[in-house]
Amino acid sequence: MIARELLGTARVPGGEELRLFAHGRDFMIVLGHNELMSTRMRGSEEALATMTLERIQGVRAPRLLIGGYGMGFTLRAALAGIGPQGHVTVAELVPEIIEWARGPMAEVAAGCLDDPRVTLRMDDVADAMLLAPEPFDAILLDVDNGPDGLVRAENNRIYSKSGLHNARRALAPGGVLAIWSAAPDPKFTRRLEDVGFEVEQVEVRARIDKNGKGKGPRHVIWFARV
């Protein structure tokens, strides 16, 4: 049996400690007893990007905001689909996440942070939405385990009505707010609708096998259109 190797730790501002483990060729980021992300489970994070781009197909040079970087699966899937004129802003709050991407996980990152179509902001995505000089065609949020502030209590403000209003104002007409979650949340669906979004909830699988079939846990993505 291959033992897990602890590669690093990081304190989330206003939250708990994250731990990066290697397990053979795989990596995982853990909070307490919760495995937040893993290289073995990337399907739903990639779907967050690919399914969002399907919903803004008419935009020739899409402007995306992704919060946060995680293991970069969403960013890499977005870069594969936005074309040469598209642009992605990544908002990441934890410096060590980026250090891990450029260090022990450099092979996984595959240079995505150095793509000229990418701007990295070491900032809270809530502030990145408020301070953006231009509206985004899509905002993709995967900053927690869902709209429940597990990693950091202050993340609740992103998913509050005021936070969702801010997201709506940061979107271009016809823009899409896409939110990843480990589980359904009917109250959050109603909150999105109360703010004025047209809401679509989609179930996705955590892992895609070599035949393109979904496997593993079921996750949820909300697509909320202005």
Side-chain angles (χ1 to χ4, degrees), residues 122-224:
M122 297 308 301
D123 201 354
D124 191 318
V125 69
D127 295 327
M129 287 190 284
L130 287 171
L131 301 174
E134 298 179 60
F136 297 101
D137 298 297
I139 297 172
L140 292 69
L141 297 180
D142 184 7
V143 298
D144 215 304
N145 217 36
D148 55 7
L150 171 69
V151 174
R152 177 175 179 254
E154 197 170 343
N155 285 341
N156 287 320
R157 69 173 178 143
I158 300 171
Y159 304 112
S160 68
K161 281 191 176 182
S162 61
L164 294 174
H165 275 296
N166 289 337
R168 197 169 186 271
R169 284 190 288 268
L171 286 167
V176 172
L177 171 65
I179 300 172
W180 182 97
S181 178
D185 187 334
K187 290 183 179 178
F188 182 66
T189 302
R190 290 194 295 271
R191 197 180 311 149
L192 285 165
E193 293 170 340
D194 289 344
V195 169
F197 283 111
E198 179 184 327
V199 182
E200 176 188 6
Q201 180 178 313
V202 179
E203 184 181 272
V204 293
R205 300 300 287 267
R207 185 165 54 86
I208 305 297
D209 67 17
K210 62 182 180 181
N211 298 314
K213 293 185 178 181
K215 301 287 185 181
R218 288 173 168 82
H219 297 155
V220 169
I221 301 174
W222 288 275
F223 298 98

Side-chain angles (χ1 to χ4, degrees), residues 20-170:
L20 173 66
F21 288 98
H23 184 245
R25 293 183 59 84
D26 289 311
F27 297 91
M28 59 203 71
I29 295 178
V30 176
L31 175 79
H33 297 293
N34 294 293
E35 184 179 292
L36 295 181
M37 60 198 85
S38 165
T39 52
R40 294 177 293 108
M41 301 282 186
R42 59 196 296 173
S44 59
E45 284 85 355
E46 292 172 340
L48 180 62
T50 57
M51 296 178 74
T52 297
L53 291 175
E54 289 171 1
R55 286 157 176 77
I56 57 168
Q57 281 185 19
V59 181
R60 204 181 93 181
R63 297 184 71 255
L64 276 57
L65 171 63
I66 295 177
Y69 174 79
M71 289 186 168
F73 298 134
T74 301
L75 173 59
R76 291 193 296 284
L79 291 173
I82 61 172
Q85 303 302 317
H87 187 270
V88 183
T89 299
V90 177
E92 175 54 57
L93 189 63
V94 183
E96 289 86 352
I97 292 286
I98 302 303
E99 292 173 10
W100 297 340
R102 297 192 186 279
M105 294 184 63
E107 185 176 343
V108 176
C112 64
L113 288 167
D114 300 315
D115 191 296
R117 296 171 295 168
V118 174
T119 297
L120 175 63
R121 286 184 58 119
M122 297 308 301
D123 201 354
D124 191 318
V125 69
D127 295 327
M129 287 190 284
L130 287 171
L131 301 174
E134 298 179 60
F136 297 101
D137 298 297
I139 297 172
L140 292 69
L141 297 180
D142 184 7
V143 298
D144 215 304
N145 217 36
D148 55 7
L150 171 69
V151 174
R152 177 175 179 254
E154 197 170 343
N155 285 341
N156 287 320
R157 69 173 178 143
I158 300 171
Y159 304 112
S160 68
K161 281 191 176 182
S162 61
L164 294 174
H165 275 296
N166 289 337
R168 197 169 186 271
R169 284 190 288 268

